[in-house]
Amino acid sequence: MQSADLDLRELLSFRPDGGTMFFMGRRAIIFDAIALGLLRKELIGSLGMAAARSILTRFGYAHGRMTAESLKLEFPDLFADSWTGPKLHMLQGMVRVEENKRSDGNEDEPLVQSFWYDSYEVEQHLLHLGLSEESVCWTLTGFASGYVSYWRGEKVYFIEDRCCGKGDAVCHVEGRTREQWGEALEPYLPYFESESGDEVFQNLAKALRETEERLKKQRRQMSCLSAGGEEFGCITARSSAMRQVVELTLRIARVDSSVIVTGESGAGKERIARLIHEESARSGRPFVAVNCGALTETLLESELFGHAKGAFTGADRDKMGLIEAAHGGTLFLDEIGEVSQSMQVKLLRVLQEREVRRVGENKSRQVDIRVVAATNRNLSDEVSKGNFRRDLYYRLRVIEVRVPPLRERNEDILPLARIFLEQASRRAGRKVTGFTTKAADQLLRYSWPGNVRELQNAVEHAVALCLDTRADLEDLPEELRSALPRAGIVESVRPLEEVEREYILAALRATGNNKARTAAELNIGVATLYRKLADYEKQGFMA
């Protein structure tokens, strides 16, 4: 019999009323894929990604090798057929294999390469853990490695270079010997090699240290402070206004009081809320953010409080709410000023009683949370108008932190812009390393009505259009290129002639180089304008 003749109905024997069952003469069990997904999630949550991958890869390797040994003993014809391994994978419901190619003896080609579809590991990883940064078919590559290693009589390692679990269109694996892989195998060997318990935990400690170093590096990049500055998590605080905010935030983090963070949209309120959480005793617990303005009242209630099965149409199962999910940690209620009066009453009860009741249930559940709320509204005015409950306002506003808009912290603009430049360049695969002087000056001139969020978008725009290694004035968005110097921004006393020149040239850019319109806007004669422009050109300012 060859692999093409394999049929699940002939290989699987069982009693219809239950009990033991056998697959190709070996005892088998039916196991729910979701349960395996939960096992994976538990392993990752308890031991970390590296240790979980090692365990599941070696489990798959042992399974593959034992399968090959059994085949050789019981079904030698099937063992000789190179397609048997992939066929067994498919019959057992693990994955669908297509284009299983074998090497024709070319040393530069892999011994085996396959395209995999409908991997159960991809399905379960996405279901329980979401999109991954690395390949996730760990037991499957382990099985293939163990099976082919026994089949060939030498160690063969399968590596998955494309995986649907990390966003690729298809899963693709290659199998090579250690010599064929060379140095490319080194990062993957720990997942295959058997280790003692001490070695496992040593490797775990090493992986944790490396992760901590990467996090520290990212925090340093995000802070982007000068040598004389300080680092506050991922917040740039070169300006005195922002330093005061951060210093207040660090003091707040030591206590467990409720906080309201106020400020304009895009100013960085959520970042302050996260800093409160990260510097608090709750940092090891969840930080759950809810945008109250993005959901209707009905959806918001279900999201916050959860619901019981059958509570309303479509509630086909019990669901934990976000308040419960934040137990032990911090609940961040963004845009709290958008919440309706009836929802305000329910939130007040949670804050007072520290308990939550799911929609459709009669019992209450105790919760231990710290609440940080944020709004771009003046809640005091909203209370006076009757739009926001006074009791809830004072319950939330034990401490208030005001995040200044970007126009009030001019010193933070360029450090933030450089952070966003580095991030956007990395995402786009570009090598844009900085700004030209003209572009940097224009960033400082603009008033930034959209605050930090607008700055981030402007920098991403510049990276997309940049043709050189430095973003220039012409790469910035149109409204930014034509911005006039801001009134009131005085970093140092400068000659009036210099200030006048900058303003006239900025006005000229804003009118699209229309000199007649520029003169009219500046309320000066056209001849006067031409004379001044001629002087600027002689001085080298019109290049």
Side-chain angles (χ1 to χ4, degrees):
M1 182 169 64
Q2 300 299 308
S3 62
D5 302 320
L6 290 174
D7 189 305
L8 182 63
R9 291 168 295 185
E10 297 173 357
L11 300 177
L12 184 65
S13 60
F14 59 95
R15 291 179 54 182
D17 59 346
T20 56
M21 61 177 64
F22 296 86
F23 182 81
M24 296 185 67
R26 298 167 62 192
R27 183 169 181 178
I29 59 174
I30 294 176
F31 212 79
D32 196 322
I34 292 180
L36 292 175
L38 290 171
L39 173 63
R40 167 183 292 247
K41 181 180 179 182
E42 187 65 25
L43 286 173
I44 291 173
S46 302
L47 303 176
M49 188 76 75
R53 182 172 181 176
S54 298
I55 292 170
L56 293 177
T57 300
R58 290 200 289 273
F59 165 74
Y61 187 98
H63 182 205
R65 186 176 180 86
M66 290 175 60
T67 299
E69 289 176 349
S70 178
L71 277 172
K72 185 177 182 180
L73 181 65
E74 302 293 338
F75 305 95
D77 291 338
L78 281 175
F79 177 77
D81 188 345
S82 63
W83 250 102
T84 300
K87 186 69 172 178
L88 290 176
H89 256 165
M90 291 191 286
L91 288 175
Q92 292 171 351
M94 297 182 184
V95 69
R96 179 165 55 89
V97 183
E98 292 186 7
E99 300 183 47
N100 191 59
K101 299 178 181 178
R102 300 274 171 175
S103 172
D104 57 3
N106 187 343
E107 290 294 326
D108 295 328
E109 294 291 326
L111 296 174
V112 185
Q113 57 177 322
S114 301
F115 290 93
W116 290 349
Y117 300 85
D118 303 325
S119 161
Y120 86 94
E121 289 193 276
V122 167
E123 173 190 271
Q124 293 304 314
H125 197 99
L126 292 176
L127 175 64
H128 296 289
L129 298 158
L131 202 64
S132 173
E133 294 182 357
E134 59 184 50
S135 300
V136 302
C137 298
W138 303 333
T139 59
L140 295 180
T141 51
F143 181 97
S145 301
Y147 186 96
V148 176
S149 293
Y150 187 83
W151 187 77
R152 284 185 59 89
E154 62 178 333
K155 271 288 189 71
V156 177
Y157 300 88
F158 277 72
I159 294 177
E160 188 178 25
D161 56 1
R162 279 176 278 168
C163 181
C164 298
K166 62 184 181 75
D168 294 323
V170 65
C171 297
H172 178 262
V173 294
E174 290 185 1
R176 302 174 189 259
T177 63
R178 187 168 188 165
E179 292 73 21
Q180 286 178 316
W181 279 117
E183 293 181 356
L185 182 63
E186 293 302 319
Y188 301 91
L189 268 178
Y191 303 131
F192 290 96
E193 302 295 344
S194 179
E195 300 169 312
S196 68
D198 289 341
E199 290 173 325
V200 169
F201 285 105
Q202 287 173 6
N203 285 335
L204 277 174
K206 181 182 177 183
L208 285 172
R209 285 195 300 270
E210 291 173 350
T211 301
E212 288 171 355
E213 287 302 315
R214 286 198 300 270
L215 288 173
K216 287 179 182 177
K217 182 179 179 181
Q218 290 174 358
R219 291 181 66 165
R220 286 194 297 270
Q221 290 173 342
M222 287 298 293
S223 67
C224 199
L225 296 172
S226 62
E230 299 179 23
E231 185 173 321
F232 303 105
C234 295
I235 295 177
T236 296
R238 183 176 295 178
S239 66
S240 59
M242 200 60 191
R243 283 183 184 280
Q244 291 174 11
V245 169
V246 172
E247 289 167 4
L248 174 61
T249 300
L250 294 177
R251 292 203 302 271
I252 291 170
R254 302 187 192 119
V255 297
D256 219 21
S257 305
S258 298
V259 182
I260 283 187
V261 185
T262 60
E264 297 178 4
S265 293
K269 297 187 293 294
E270 182 170 349
R271 185 55 252 168
I272 292 296
R274 287 186 180 276
L275 183 60
I276 292 173
H277 173 74
E278 290 162 5
E279 296 297 326
S280 73
R282 297 176 177 268
S283 58
R285 305 297 297 169
F287 176 88
V288 179
V290 186
N291 188 337
C292 301
L295 300 171
T296 64
E297 182 175 353
T298 304
L299 284 175
L300 181 60
E301 182 177 12
S302 175
E303 286 296 309
L304 283 176
F305 296 92
H307 59 252
K309 181 179 179 180
F312 50 83
T313 303
D316 54 356
R317 59 184 176 84
D318 290 344
K319 178 184 176 182
M320 176 190 293
L322 296 177
I323 296 175
E324 284 184 75
H327 181 72
T330 303
L331 178 68
F332 175 54
L333 299 174
D334 198 8
E335 303 299 344
I336 189 67
E338 308 297 324
V339 173
S340 68
Q341 290 273 353
S342 60
M343 182 58 68
Q344 290 174 31
V345 174
K346 295 171 184 176
L347 285 174
L348 180 62
R349 176 180 172 81
V350 172
L351 292 173
Q352 289 176 334
E353 306 298 333
R354 296 293 168 176
E355 62 182 28
V356 64
R357 183 177 297 175
R358 294 180 184 179
V359 177
E361 277 191 350
N362 293 324
K363 66 177 181 178
S364 297
R365 303 166 188 265
Q366 293 295 313
V367 289
D368 172 25
I369 57 172
R370 179 184 192 164
V371 176
V372 179
T375 181
N376 58 10
R377 296 188 178 193
N378 187 324
L379 285 189
S380 179
D381 289 348
E382 296 297 311
V383 169
S384 299
K385 296 174 184 176
N387 296 328
F388 201 85
R389 291 183 62 93
R390 187 178 300 274
D391 46 6
L392 178 59
Y393 173 64
Y394 286 114
R395 178 68 69 171
L396 289 171
R397 190 184 171 274
V398 176
I399 307 171
E400 180 175 347
V401 180
R402 177 186 175 272
V403 182
L406 195 53
R407 63 180 174 274
E408 293 181 10
R409 42 190 177 113
N410 203 50
E411 299 94 325
D412 295 334
I413 293 174
L414 287 182
L416 282 168
R418 292 181 184 120
I419 293 170
F420 298 143
L421 184 77
E422 189 275 332
Q423 292 174 344
S425 300
R426 187 172 64 248
R427 287 195 302 267
R430 308 286 305 279
K431 293 184 178 180
V432 185
T433 58
F435 299 96
T436 64
T437 303
K438 289 182 179 179
D441 286 344
Q442 199 65 12
L443 291 176
L444 293 173
R445 285 194 180 102
Y446 191 54
S447 61
W448 300 109
N451 291 298
V452 178
R453 188 179 296 122
E454 184 184 11
L455 174 61
Q456 185 173 9
N457 292 339
V459 172
E460 189 168 344
H461 182 281
V463 170
L465 298 187
C466 183
L467 298 177
D468 204 346
T469 56
R470 292 195 302 164
D472 204 350
L473 179 62
E474 296 304 314
D475 301 322
L476 299 174
E478 171 62 30
E479 67 274 12
L480 186 52
R481 294 200 305 269
S482 60
L484 296 175
R486 285 184 285 164
I489 300 300
V490 181
E491 298 165 357
S492 61
V493 177
R494 297 190 298 161
L496 183 59
E497 182 182 6
E498 181 182 329
V499 176
E500 181 189 66
R501 181 183 65 243
E502 285 190 5
Y503 198 85
I504 289 175
L505 293 179
L508 188 64
R509 286 193 300 268
T511 61
N513 210 36
N514 186 323
K515 296 179 178 60
R517 183 182 165 193
T518 300
E521 293 285 347
L522 294 173
N523 198 25
I524 62 175
V526 176
T528 301
L529 177 63
Y530 271 95
R531 176 170 51 78
K532 289 182 179 293
L533 294 178
D535 290 341
Y536 301 157
E537 188 170 8
K538 288 178 184 178
Q539 297 170 24
F541 294 106
M542 295 289 291

